[in-house]
């Protein structure tokens, strides 16, 4: 008996459920862009190397071009269209606008989604290759420019807006930490740590 090469899946994207038939080989990127018209997620290299298609899966960064749509079923998917709170921009979006963290803007949606996930990873104490003391009891390292560059290294900007991107991520991390501290959460080091 021949196996079916397609499935009907339900994807939870930006708080909404979308049911659609897909070929089992359809990537999440193609499902978002071609099937659901969520074109904020960009197709860059289509090989997982540029980060333009970065989305959040259950709050963690993922390149959508390497993720099968069928494997994303049952997970919470956040695209650039879903990071703002209505008309109120996410702190990362605000920082990118305020500090010109983009030029042509093509990589910006992936940069923003990656930065949101990266700030959460840092706050949770995840080390990077630039982290000097990786012991869990050391806690999150200072969020220096070197830490940000290493943690964002999977996102390429062909325009070269890296200086502004690093500054924007640092500002957003500081704003996020301030918001968490105001609501009883733990604070991380932010913009003042960037040298």
């Amino acid at each position: 008996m021949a196996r079916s090469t397609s499935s009907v899946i339900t994807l939870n994207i930006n708080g909404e459920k979308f049911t659609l038939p897909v070929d089992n080989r359809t990537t999440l990127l193609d499902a978002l862009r071609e099937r659901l018209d969520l074109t904020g997620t960009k197709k860059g290299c289509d090989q997982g190397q540029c980060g333009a298609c970065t989305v959040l899966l259950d709050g963690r960064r993922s390149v959508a071009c390497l993720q099968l749509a069928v494997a994303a079923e049952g997970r919470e998917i956040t695209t650039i269209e879903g990071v703002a709170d209505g008309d109120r921009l996410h702190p990362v979006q605000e920082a990118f606008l305020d500090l010109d963290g983009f030029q042509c803007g093509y990589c910006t949606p992936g940069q923003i989604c990656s930065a949101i996930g990266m700030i959460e990873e840092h706050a949770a104490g995840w080390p990077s290759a630039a982290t000097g003391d990786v012991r869990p009891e050391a806690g999150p390292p200072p969020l220096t420019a070197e830490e940000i560059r290493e943690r964002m290294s999977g996102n390429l900007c062909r325009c070269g807006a890296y200086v502004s991107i690093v500054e924007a991520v640092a500002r957003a991390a500081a704003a996020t930490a301030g918001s968490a501290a105001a609501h009883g959460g733990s604070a991380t080091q932010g913009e003042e740590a960037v040298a």
Side-chain angles (χ1 to χ4, degrees), residues 90-113:
H90 188 281
V92 173
Q93 290 174 304
E94 288 179 1
F96 267 70
L97 285 172
D98 292 346
L99 296 169
D100 295 326
F102 54 90
Q103 284 184 32
C104 80
Y106 194 82
C107 72
T108 305
Q111 296 273 3
I112 289 172
C113 286

Side-chain angles (χ1 to χ4, degrees), residues 39-60:
T39 57
T41 304
K42 303 302 184 202
K43 184 177 274 200
C45 67
D46 214 17
Q47 298 176 5
Q49 297 179 8
C50 74
C53 67
T54 303
V55 297
L56 299 170
L57 286 179
D58 297 329
R60 296 172 103 176

